[in-house]
Amino acid sequence: MKRSKFLLIAVLSASIIFTGCGKKAEEPSSEQGVESSETGDSAVTEVVEELDDLSQQLKPLVDSALQKGIIDQSRYDEFAHYLKRISDIKISKGSSDAVKKELSKIKDELAVLASQVSASNDVIDALVKPAEAIKTNESEQAVQETSAADNSAQVDTKGPATLRERVSKFSSDYISFQNECSRRVDLGEIAQEDYTELLNLGIRLVELKEKTDLGQVNDELENELNSLKESVHSCAVKVKSELADTFE
């Protein structure tokens, strides 16, 4: 499987949850700049430490998943590579934008893998949760561009919504529903199987959003959006969510 197939809801969440959060702070003095840099390095180190701990918790589950045929050897090798890179970054204490981008990708990939190997909700939630320390200037700019595009879409109400706009709206609604289910599964109000099914739909939604964000428009993508809406609506009805009507 292509590695891009293993992006998780975290990727989708990052492009939606932080919309409109790109306001710049006041320019710091030189002393403040040094202090901020040191604080940033420390925050990145904490993320690396957490990823190291979470990946070690995943290791026995990944080993077992390989033996049971839940994942293939190539996926297992990817996991081994992530373990090594986390260890390397932990030793080097790197905190450049390149390192942050790599950590962000590793975090996303581990989140998907955690779902595949049926890790605990605590592990999955920790990996899905956005980490401010590894956001880069590049990702912040992307957030601002997304916000501007969304605002433009809201202002222009003359014509029907484009496929990209509809996918973006559906993505936002999906995240709200997924967050609700994340809380309720911890409380025992919904079954783990139903939550896992919703996460798998989220992976399909990430792939769809990637394509529509690139400007792709065709009947296949339209059909996929409709299929996802129907499936998410069925999930919402099944768990008796108040958001069910949103996906009709």
Side-chain angles (χ1 to χ4, degrees), residues 28 36 88 118 137 200 205:
S36 176
D88 290 345
S118 300
N137 292 332
N200 289 333
L205 179 54

Side-chain angles (χ1 to χ4, degrees), residues 110-226:
L110 289 180
V112 178
L113 188 57
S115 178
Q116 287 180 302
V117 302
S118 300
S120 68
N121 292 329
D122 288 343
V123 171
I124 294 176
D125 289 345
L127 288 166
V128 171
K129 180 181 64 179
E132 289 287 335
I134 54 177
K135 287 178 63 181
T136 64
N137 292 332
E138 180 179 331
S139 63
E140 186 69 21
Q141 181 179 358
V143 167
Q144 294 179 31
E145 291 174 350
T146 301
S147 177
D150 289 344
N151 289 336
S152 176
Q154 292 174 8
V155 172
D156 183 9
T157 58
K158 295 180 180 179
T162 65
L163 176 60
R164 178 177 179 178
E165 291 167 354
R166 283 182 282 126
V167 169
S168 180
K169 172 64 168 59
F170 176 59
S171 298
S172 180
D173 293 337
Y174 170 88
I175 289 300
S176 297
F177 179 45
Q178 189 265 329
N179 287 339
E180 174 197 329
C181 290
S182 178
R183 294 190 298 271
R184 292 179 62 192
V185 75
D186 288 337
L187 296 173
E189 295 179 355
I190 63 175
Q192 177 65 49
E193 292 76 12
D194 293 332
Y195 185 57
T196 300
E197 179 184 353
L198 181 63
L199 291 179
N200 289 333
L201 293 173
I203 294 173
R204 287 172 55 188
L205 179 54
V206 169
E207 295 172 350
L208 174 62
K209 193 171 188 301
E210 282 183 330
K211 294 175 182 178
T212 57
D213 281 349
L214 292 173
Q216 296 184 33
V217 179
N218 55 54
D219 290 342
E220 182 180 351
L221 298 182
E222 287 277 3
N223 292 335
E224 175 68 354
L225 175 59
N226 292 332

